[in-house]
Amino acid sequence: MSGLGELDRPGAPESGEGWDERSQEWAVGERAGGAAAGARPSSAPRRGTGDPVKALMHRHRELCERAVDPLEIAAGLEAHGVTDRTAVRFRHRDVFSLAEEMYARVPRGDDPNPRPAPAALPRPRPDRVLLTLLPGALCAATVTGLRLTQGRTSLLVAAVGVLAVALALRAVLRRGPLSRRGGTRPGRARARAWTCWLVAYAALGDGLLESTVAGGPDGLLPLAAAPLLTLTLACVPAAWCAHLLTTRARRRLDASRGLEEFTASVQPLLLGVVALFLCALGALSALCALVLDEPAVPAPTLTLGALLFLARLLTVHGFTHAPAVVLGAAGTAEALAVATVFAGRLPGCAFLSAPVETLVTTWGPASVPALLCGAAALALLVHSTRTLTRASAHARTAQPC
């Protein structure tokens, strides 16, 4: 997971273009020559005008003209690799100051104020707050129906319930704080597929793994309803925490005077939001286990919930590749854990199942998803502290929630 920092970069403005040779010279400075064909010698004088900001504005003309405030320009420059240190080469103390000059120098009719007042922060809408309650309510109704029915009726209730919960989750993820800002990006379909697998394993995987280690399975697998109910009910705190991160980050972006200052202020905010979600998830897990009279095993539910929440936060802010890769790695590892137990039954292949069987015998079947999802969630958390703390991740997220 050490290469996760390269999986995603903040989404560059759709209208922006890459650096050309002239603007790259201003942004990066002189380079050592002779190492590659066509490279400029380090002693060669710089070309271009004596106004470095003008060259930069030429490359990002559409970004400057369409920006509603200097913050969007600062976020766009950051997305192209311009840092506070680079801004010094443009004769400015930081990227925010550089963006303010670029914004002010673009003709905007009769507007005398180069920096408008900060945009109003999004507020939760009552209809979308109620929408986040729908998946948990439908899941609770489905679980109740399964416990009151048998045979084919039970299968019909399960099929209808799964379809209803899936449609409700789709609605929650398409509107409000958990919805993706902007267009579709590669990785979202893979992430959805692996999410379905991880949730299915939370419901049936422990029973399958335990029975497989014992020599089965010999019949129908037991359904763990508590993790499913916990995860669907967790849509409410997940949406609230995502909204909290969006509003507080935007407020700090308006008040910041530099990229490093903004990053330093948002990192504890991000960690606090994740911790707050985990506290709510832990309370829901204990409550659901008590109500459904199932063994309280919070570790796999907490780690899976943290993994899905971090993946959704990254997706909301435009980073889709890393969540797809990490979710896929966790899902593949869970599938391999079960497959190795079956493979160990082959003659001479007992060594394949030894690690998983030892883990299940010592710590129980829930230790496998807890370990795998916990490692994946930790990897996404590290990745999030490097991506969701950038100004470019929050510049365009102020929309109604």
Side-chain angles (χ1 to χ4, degrees):
M1 297 299 177
S2 59
L4 283 177
E6 299 300 327
L7 291 176
D8 278 318
R9 293 182 174 86
E14 296 179 359
S15 58
E17 299 178 1
W19 298 90
D20 64 356
E21 183 179 359
R22 179 174 59 179
S23 57
Q24 184 69 15
E25 291 170 1
W26 286 113
V28 182
E30 299 178 351
R31 296 184 179 183
R40 284 174 52 88
S42 59
S43 60
R46 293 180 179 178
R47 302 197 311 268
T49 176
D51 184 357
V53 179
K54 184 177 180 180
L56 187 62
M57 292 179 61
H58 174 73
R59 295 306 307 162
H60 300 281
R61 176 176 54 84
E62 294 185 10
L63 168 63
C64 296
E65 292 176 350
R66 296 182 181 180
V68 298
D69 58 29
L71 296 176
E72 289 194 13
I73 299 179
L77 294 177
E78 183 200 37
H80 283 95
V82 179
T83 64
D84 289 340
R85 181 175 299 180
T86 308
V88 176
R89 302 179 185 271
F90 292 89
R91 306 170 187 172
H92 283 271
R93 65 181 181 276
D94 52 43
V95 175
F96 278 43
S97 175
L98 173 61
E100 285 180 342
E101 179 182 345
M102 295 173 65
Y103 183 84
R105 290 174 60 173
V106 175
R108 298 182 186 278
D110 299 330
D111 184 7
N113 184 12
R115 183 168 185 173
L121 296 175
R123 295 182 179 180
R125 289 172 45 176
D127 58 333
R128 291 181 179 174
V129 172
L130 295 176
L131 182 62
T132 59
L133 294 170
L134 188 58
L138 292 175
C139 184
T142 303
V143 171
T144 303
L146 290 175
R147 295 197 169 192
L148 296 177
T149 58
Q150 295 179 350
R152 294 183 178 180
T153 305
S154 179
L155 293 178
L156 180 61
V157 170
V160 173
V162 169
L163 179 60
V165 172
L167 292 176
L169 288 172
R170 178 182 175 87
V172 169
L173 299 181
R174 292 174 71 91
R175 299 175 180 84
L178 296 178
S179 62
R180 164 78 173 89
R181 274 64 163 164
T184 303
R185 288 194 178 187
R188 296 183 65 188
R190 286 183 297 154
R192 285 195 294 266
W194 285 116
T195 298
C196 293
W197 163 257
L198 291 170
V199 172
Y201 188 95
L204 301 170
D206 290 350
L208 174 62
L209 190 59
E210 186 175 25
S211 62
T212 302
V213 170
D218 299 323
L220 293 178
L221 298 175
L223 174 67
L228 293 180
L229 184 58
T230 301
L231 292 174
T232 52
L233 290 174
C235 288
V236 178
W240 187 83
C241 289
H243 173 77
L244 178 65
L245 178 64
T246 297
T247 54
R248 294 296 178 87
R250 180 69 188 191
R251 186 176 291 121
R252 296 185 183 188
L253 182 60
D254 291 336
S256 297
R257 296 301 308 166
L259 297 177
E260 294 181 359
E261 177 186 346
F262 175 75
T263 299
S265 65
V266 173
Q267 280 183 346
L269 172 63
L270 174 63
L271 296 177
V273 165
V274 174
L276 189 62
F277 173 75
L278 288 178
C279 291
L281 188 65
L284 287 174
S285 178
L287 179 62
C288 292
L290 179 64
V291 171
L292 296 178
D293 194 23
E294 292 186 2
V297 188
T301 305
L302 287 176
T303 53
L304 177 57
L307 174 61
L308 297 179
F309 178 65
L310 289 168
R312 195 61 203 175
L313 278 184
L314 288 166
T315 302
V316 163
H317 291 88
F319 305 94
T320 58
H321 186 54
V325 171
V326 175
L327 290 174
T332 301
E334 287 183 346
L336 288 176
V338 178
T340 55
V341 177
F342 283 106
R345 298 177 180 179
L346 299 175
C349 297
F351 67 94
L352 294 176
S353 61
V356 175
E357 290 182 351
T358 301
L359 193 62
V360 171
T361 303
T362 306
W363 300 102
S367 61
V368 174
L371 180 62
L372 297 177
C373 292
L378 182 60
L380 276 190
L381 179 61
V382 173
H383 183 59
S384 298
T385 59
R386 299 175 58 185
T387 54
L388 296 183
T389 57
R390 297 177 180 177
S392 53
H394 300 278
R396 297 180 180 273
T397 58
Q399 69 179 32
C401 294

